[in-house]
Amino acid sequence: MKRISSRDNAHFRELKRLQASARERRRSGRLLLDGMHLISAYQQRCGSPAEIVLSDSGAARAEIVDYLASCPAAVPIIQLPDSLWAELALVDTPSGIMAVAAWPQPATAIDLAADAVALDGVQDPGNVGSILRSAAAAGFRQILLSADCAQAWSPKTLRAGMGAHFQLDIHEDGDLPAFLAAYHGQSIATAVGATADLYSAGLARAVAWVFGSEGRGLSAAVLAATNLQVRIPMPGACESLNVAAAAAVCLFETVRRRHRAADGDR
């Protein structure tokens, strides 16, 4: 185990860049996993991380001690004073353990006949992570993100995704109009002014759900490339839903409808 006690240490500065910089994560092909839940989810799908980073207080926690006992001997371990750890941590109640890991690549190429979720300019990491979590739970494995979305593998997006990332094939910097133009299934966008409502949409065949940015919605090119625009009926006083909430409603309506169809009740 190596101990770092100075913020001027080159390795610590590298960890800080990895935590703060999307460019550094892309350049290095590495990401930072904060907490045992994310580390365990990564290991189940992708194998051992490249490095473990501990805080002094984290190194004394029973869960972390047990994990370290089972960790392959080849994985380096770095320990930091709590004061330095606080400069890396995302939350006020720190997990005590992080891992540096290789950036996972999609297991399969884009499939133009499979269910998909496409995000156009969704810039809040929490919303992106929440949508990925809902997609994984609803059985939508294929995810496409436009170039102006929040980075899928940033620490904040990973935290919001709660491990869902590692169940998905995530394609970043996607050309969404080109994908939608070539897509063999039904592509559906949510739009406040749409005349069709969600509950009348046909959802039996492959569907690509398309969700836009929190402020401007979908770009004109992406909206024009979809087959159908729907609104979510809202009998209450609110005019719109948060994009992550809207995505969850649409994805699980797809699940509900397909369960009914499988039972013979359309």
Side-chain angles (χ1 to χ4, degrees), residues 3-22:
R3 181 171 182 83
I4 294 174
S5 57
S6 171
R7 62 176 44 85
D8 294 325
N9 179 276
H11 198 123
F12 179 72
R13 293 201 302 268
E14 183 181 346
L15 291 172
K16 290 259 298 185
R17 289 194 298 271
L18 204 56
Q19 191 258 23
S21 170

Side-chain angles (χ1 to χ4, degrees), residues 28-39:
S28 66
R30 298 186 304 161
L31 50 90
L32 202 58
L33 307 171
D34 189 349
M36 278 305 313
H37 182 80
L38 279 179
I39 294 170

Side-chain angles (χ1 to χ4, degrees), residues 60-75:
R61 294 178 190 170
E63 179 187 31
I64 294 175
V65 171
D66 290 344
Y67 170 72
L68 293 177
S70 66
C71 196
V75 177

Side-chain angles (χ1 to χ4, degrees), residues 12-243:
F12 179 72
R13 293 201 302 268
E14 183 181 346
L15 291 172
K16 290 259 298 185
R17 289 194 298 271
L18 204 56
Q19 191 258 23
S21 170
R23 179 177 297 177
E24 176 63 18
R25 289 188 290 272
R26 288 190 185 280
R27 185 200 66 78
S28 66
R30 298 186 304 161
L31 50 90
L32 202 58
L33 307 171
D34 189 349
M36 278 305 313
H37 182 80
L38 279 179
I39 294 170
S40 297
Y42 180 91
Q43 282 202 178
Q44 288 171 14
R45 298 282 177 168
C46 307
S48 297
E51 180 180 88
I52 298 296
V53 185
L54 305 173
S55 68
D56 283 347
S57 57
R61 294 178 190 170
E63 179 187 31
I64 294 175
V65 171
D66 290 344
Y67 170 72
L68 293 177
S70 66
C71 196
V75 177
I77 300 173
I78 306 296
Q79 188 164 331
L80 306 174
D82 289 350
S83 58
L84 287 190
W85 177 271
E87 297 185 27
L88 296 177
L90 295 175
V91 293
D92 293 335
T93 306
S95 65
I97 186 169
M98 294 184 189
V100 178
W103 190 313
Q105 298 301 310
T108 60
I110 292 173
D111 186 344
L112 295 174
D115 287 334
V117 174
L119 304 184
D120 180 29
V122 179
Q123 296 179 341
D124 181 82
N127 282 337
V128 173
S130 294
I131 293 170
L132 296 183
R133 190 178 180 187
S134 293
F140 281 71
R141 183 178 178 88
Q142 180 171 233
I143 312 294
L144 289 87
L145 281 70
S146 67
D148 53 348
C149 280
Q151 191 182 74
W153 302 103
S154 75
K156 290 182 179 179
T157 310
L158 281 160
R159 188 172 187 85
M162 291 293 290
H165 286 67
F166 309 115
Q167 303 174 40
L168 303 169
D169 289 325
I170 300 174
H171 303 270
E172 293 193 282
D173 298 327
D175 184 341
L176 299 192
F179 166 75
L180 295 170
Y183 188 64
H184 300 325
Q186 172 96 309
S187 56
I188 309 176
T190 54
V192 173
T195 55
D197 73 61
L198 168 64
Y199 304 117
S200 65
L203 300 174
R205 62 191 178 112
V207 59
W209 278 107
V210 188
F211 304 103
S213 76
E214 298 86 343
R216 63 172 172 81
L218 291 169
S219 66
V222 169
L223 187 62
T226 60
N227 302 139
L228 178 66
Q229 296 86 48
V230 300
R231 57 181 172 79
I232 299 173
M234 289 181 285
C238 291
E239 295 181 358
S240 63
L241 289 174
N242 169 279
V243 64

